[in-house]
Amino acid sequence: MAELVTGEAVALDLRVARLPSRGIALLLDVLFQYALLYFASILAAMTMALDEAWGVGFGVLGTVAVLVGYPTACETLSRGRTLGKMALGLRVVSDDGGPIRFRQALVRALSAVLEIWALFGSPALIASLFNRQGKRLGDLFAGTIVIQDRVPASALLGPVAVMPPQLAGWARSLELSQVSDGLALTSRQYLLRFWELLPEVRDAMGQRLVDQVVARVSPPPPPGVRPEILLSAVLAERRQREEWRLAQRRGRRHPLAWGGVAAYGPQPVPAMAVTGPAPQPPPVAGPPAPPPFSPPGPGQPRFLPPAQYGRGPYEQVLAPRPPHQPPARPPGH
């Protein structure tokens, strides 16, 4: 941990990168630069076959571009990160916590030619071991420090960066594009150290941060809101929007429990939700009901109702015949 001293003489924490992670990031950068130097040497040899002076000049230009131009351009354009630092989650910042400038990146690159390439990194290793913040000579000359940029969200935001219910509606309509990463980081560190500060320093620093945030957002906040509550609302809204963008970029649907339709516009409504009650299917016609029972006529077999025999409602059972009686003989036989 390093300390960043603000204008109110309040020390805020910076996560200094450890020596093993810096060494791996440097190794990745050196391997990439070696590959660039190899291709530059091939092109210089091809040019030297045509013109020796042009080949030498091209070789010198390529070496300077790889050793000095590559780290300078990467750290300036990506705010302190090279390919190796991106892979390890590291970043170079100024001693005051701000983004690195072109002059500082150039000083670090020129120093690396001597302490890393010419002397095989031994001065950089010794300086990092004896410096409390792990700085090498280039960091000491340029006034920079390498920090751990990829940290858990819980450690960076802290438990206080939550959305106050009374400011949820105001936060959904905020325009946050002008709030820089540096200002957001300072506000988060302030909230993490809120209960460790003296009351007068805490109020003064909070009011100063609120003035900077209010000048960069719109619409203005409701009157009478405490600085820490307002900062917590802004940071929570900023985090939720970043999570939503990340979820959209990954092709997943983000649960908008905090904003819903009001935050990101109306959502498509299924057609069944606006066409009234769903139509009921037509009733299925069952088997026809049996005709009512009627006694058999003369010369027809006798049938009894099925209920008399305990059968189903659609069955008819043949009635038993009466016992056989022999025909009567005429008298005299």
Side-chain angles (χ1 to χ4, degrees):
M1 263 322 164
E3 290 186 347
L4 168 64
V5 181
T6 64
E8 288 81 10
V10 178
L12 300 179
D13 293 336
L14 291 178
R15 292 180 176 270
V16 178
R18 297 182 178 180
L19 187 59
S21 58
R22 292 188 62 180
I24 297 175
L26 178 61
L27 179 60
L28 294 178
D29 286 329
V30 168
L31 292 177
F32 181 71
Q33 288 174 291
Y34 264 123
L36 293 180
L37 286 175
Y38 176 74
F39 287 108
S41 63
I42 293 177
L43 294 178
M46 296 173 59
T47 307
M48 190 175 296
L50 302 176
D51 191 329
E52 184 177 357
W54 278 97
V56 173
F58 187 82
V60 173
L61 180 61
T63 303
V64 173
V66 171
L67 299 185
V68 180
Y70 160 74
T72 303
C74 286
E75 292 182 355
T76 303
L77 298 178
S78 62
R79 295 185 178 183
R81 292 182 295 180
T82 57
L83 295 180
K85 292 182 177 64
M86 289 181 187
L88 272 297
L90 307 180
R91 182 190 294 270
V92 182
V93 297
S94 301
D95 285 338
D96 57 357
I100 188 174
R101 295 183 290 273
F102 171 77
R103 175 184 58 82
Q104 295 172 314
L106 181 59
V107 171
R108 296 183 80 255
L110 292 175
S111 302
V113 174
L114 176 63
E115 61 176 329
I116 294 178
W117 292 96
L119 300 176
F120 304 100
S122 54
L125 178 61
I126 295 173
S128 300
L129 291 176
F130 284 93
N131 188 272
R132 191 178 66 175
Q133 297 179 347
K135 292 186 176 184
R136 64 177 179 89
L137 296 180
D139 294 320
L140 295 174
F141 296 153
T144 57
I145 185 174
V146 182
I147 63 173
Q148 187 74 34
D149 189 38
R150 189 182 303 159
V151 295
S154 59
L156 187 61
L157 294 175
V160 294
V162 296
M163 178 61 67
Q166 66 271 23
L167 297 180
W170 168 75
R172 294 192 195 110
S173 61
L174 281 179
E175 170 61 38
L176 299 175
S177 59
Q178 301 299 322
V179 178
S180 62
D181 295 339
L183 180 58
L185 177 61
T186 305
S187 302
R188 291 163 184 166
Q189 296 288 350
Y190 165 75
L191 292 179
L192 289 175
R193 300 288 299 274
F194 180 78
W195 297 109
E196 302 177 10
L197 306 176
L198 295 176
E200 56 274 9
V201 176
R202 181 174 60 200
D203 295 340
M205 186 176 181
Q207 190 60 45
R208 178 182 175 184
L209 291 174
V210 165
D211 293 340
Q212 297 180 15
V213 170
V214 170
R216 291 169 172 82
V217 301
S218 61
V225 180
R226 290 277 307 173
E228 63 275 9
I229 298 179
L230 192 143
L231 293 176
S232 179
V234 172
L235 294 181
E237 178 71 17
R238 193 171 186 265
R239 178 189 62 195
Q240 293 285 359
R241 294 186 185 183
E242 291 296 332
E243 291 178 353
W244 183 83
R245 293 190 188 98
L246 182 60
Q248 293 295 320
R249 207 172 292 126
R250 293 178 177 177
R252 296 181 303 183
R253 189 172 182 181
H254 184 68
L256 301 177
W258 56 276
V261 177
Y264 295 104
Q267 302 296 323
V269 181
M272 293 297 295
V274 296
T275 56
Q280 300 294 332
V284 180
F293 173 75
S294 58
Q300 296 180 355
R302 299 179 58 192
F303 290 90
L304 297 180
Q308 183 174 347
Y309 295 93
R311 302 297 180 89
Y314 301 107
E315 297 182 9
Q316 292 180 347
V317 180
L318 186 63
R321 293 181 179 181
H324 176 68
Q325 296 179 359
R329 293 181 178 184
H333 289 278

